[in-house]
Amino acid sequence: MEFWMEILKFLFLGLLQGFTEPIPVSSSGHLILAQHFLGVAVEGHKQLAFAVLVNFASLLAVLVIYRQDLHRLATRTLRYLKERDPADEGEARFVLYIVLGTIPAAVLGLLFNDLIESWLTGVTVVGITLIITGFALWVIRNLKGRKMDGDLRLGDALIVGFAQALALIPGISRSGATIVAGMLRGMNQETALRYSFMLYIPVSLGGIVLEGDDILHAVTDANTLLLYTIAFIATFVASYFALKWFMNVMRHGNLKVFYIYCFIVGFLVVLFG
């Protein structure tokens, strides 16, 4: 009976991570809330390994959905580097800005991650940052930008990159922060969304490279392997469908459901957390 409860716990956490990672409501914040209010968490040294694992599952979902964009960017960037064809310059510049936009989160993460985990992972902090996320989404609710992939500039990349770094704080949504910053810089919804998830790829890969060894150390028996496999599959499936849904929402430009949700949950957490 106890092991079946563990299965349900890992299934729930996988679904929670998977559904909240792509949409602008903060997956890290929701995992903290689940641990506090529901008593559902991965204990001890396995917590970091679990976080790396489910982030990898979300990353795979993003790679599957954006596989055609990634193939186009890689092909045309390599062709530009080889042939210097002006027709491919826009894609090559977009790839350069993905690299540059990744730097702020990577640097600030290495410098301040321990500090953030020590001081900014409380339930009240998550409530406040969810309210901030909701307000930011409310600000861009009617924006209609014009910038497309080839129109991005260095300033856009750095500002969106620093916005991604803010999402190191639980409750600040990574996708929300980057999309808000992108649209405030004049990007249209599709470009802001695509650039947001292109930035997610190298950051997530970096985390896997740095911390992936923890997964191998955490999997010490067949039961743990089964639990991690369940969480991985649940996260992948939930991330895939959540991102597909979010892409459809962004096409119609209606973020109301997300900022209302962040306001309600944020205020409830601050009042009762």
Side-chain angles (χ1 to χ4, degrees):
M1 184 64 180
E2 183 177 344
F3 185 63
W4 281 106
M5 292 302 295
E6 282 291 291
I7 289 177
L8 290 175
K9 179 175 77 173
F10 274 76
L11 176 62
F12 171 77
L13 289 174
L15 291 173
L16 181 66
Q17 160 68 25
F19 185 73
T20 56
E21 177 61 51
I23 64 177
V25 298
S26 178
S27 60
S28 60
H30 277 74
L31 289 175
I32 289 173
L33 297 181
Q35 179 176 352
H36 180 79
F37 289 107
L38 303 176
V40 180
V42 180
E43 302 298 334
H45 69 284
K46 294 183 178 181
Q47 189 166 11
L48 179 59
F50 178 80
V52 174
L53 179 76
V54 293
N55 271 288
F56 181 48
S58 291
L59 171 63
L60 286 182
V62 172
L63 293 175
V64 169
I65 289 174
Y66 281 104
R67 62 190 182 280
Q68 293 180 343
D69 294 274
L70 290 167
H71 181 265
R72 187 191 76 253
L73 287 170
T75 302
R76 299 190 69 172
T77 297
L78 290 173
R79 190 167 64 195
Y80 177 76
L81 293 174
K82 187 176 182 179
E83 302 175 6
R84 297 294 176 179
D85 186 341
D88 299 321
E89 185 178 357
E91 278 77 7
R93 187 185 299 117
F94 191 76
V95 171
L96 173 63
Y97 291 153
I98 291 170
V99 174
L100 295 177
T102 303
I103 294 174
V107 172
L108 294 176
L110 290 172
L111 291 176
F112 298 111
N113 192 57
D114 291 341
L115 180 65
I116 290 170
E117 288 183 354
S118 299
W119 293 95
L120 296 175
T121 56
V123 171
T124 302
V125 171
V126 171
I128 293 170
T129 50
L130 279 174
I131 294 170
I132 294 171
T133 293
F135 177 74
L137 294 171
W138 177 83
V139 167
I140 65 164
R141 67 196 185 281
N142 294 321
L143 288 185
K144 304 290 183 184
R146 295 179 179 273
K147 285 185 180 178
M148 302 175 69
D149 294 8
D151 300 322
L152 302 190
R153 295 294 179 264
L154 178 60
D156 303 324
L158 293 178
I159 288 174
V160 177
F162 277 106
Q164 178 167 250
L166 287 176
L168 292 167
I169 303 172
I172 298 293
S173 164
R174 192 212 62 83
S175 61
T178 50
I179 288 169
V180 166
M183 291 184 67
L184 287 174
R185 292 291 296 180
M187 297 181 198
N188 63 34
Q189 289 96 326
E190 186 177 354
T191 295
L193 182 67
R194 180 162 45 247
Y195 187 57
S196 170
F197 283 99
M198 292 297 139
L199 285 181
Y200 173 71
I201 293 170
V203 167
S204 183
L205 282 174
I208 292 164
V209 170
L210 292 174
E211 309 289 354
D213 191 52
D214 289 300
I215 298 176
L216 298 178
H217 287 97
V219 179
T220 56
D221 53 64
N223 285 348
T224 302
L225 178 60
L226 175 61
L227 294 173
Y228 275 39
T229 302
I230 289 170
F232 184 90
I233 295 172
T235 301
F236 174 83
V237 172
S239 292
Y240 180 88
F241 287 105
L243 180 51
K244 281 287 191 179
W245 173 55
F246 187 40
M247 292 170 74
N248 185 57
V249 171
M250 285 295 289
R251 274 193 290 270
H252 294 87
N254 188 3
L255 296 171
K256 182 184 294 186
V257 64
F258 299 115
Y259 65 72
I260 290 176
Y261 175 83
C262 288
F263 284 146
I264 292 173
V265 174
F267 279 114
L268 288 175
V269 170
V270 170
L271 290 174
F272 301 108

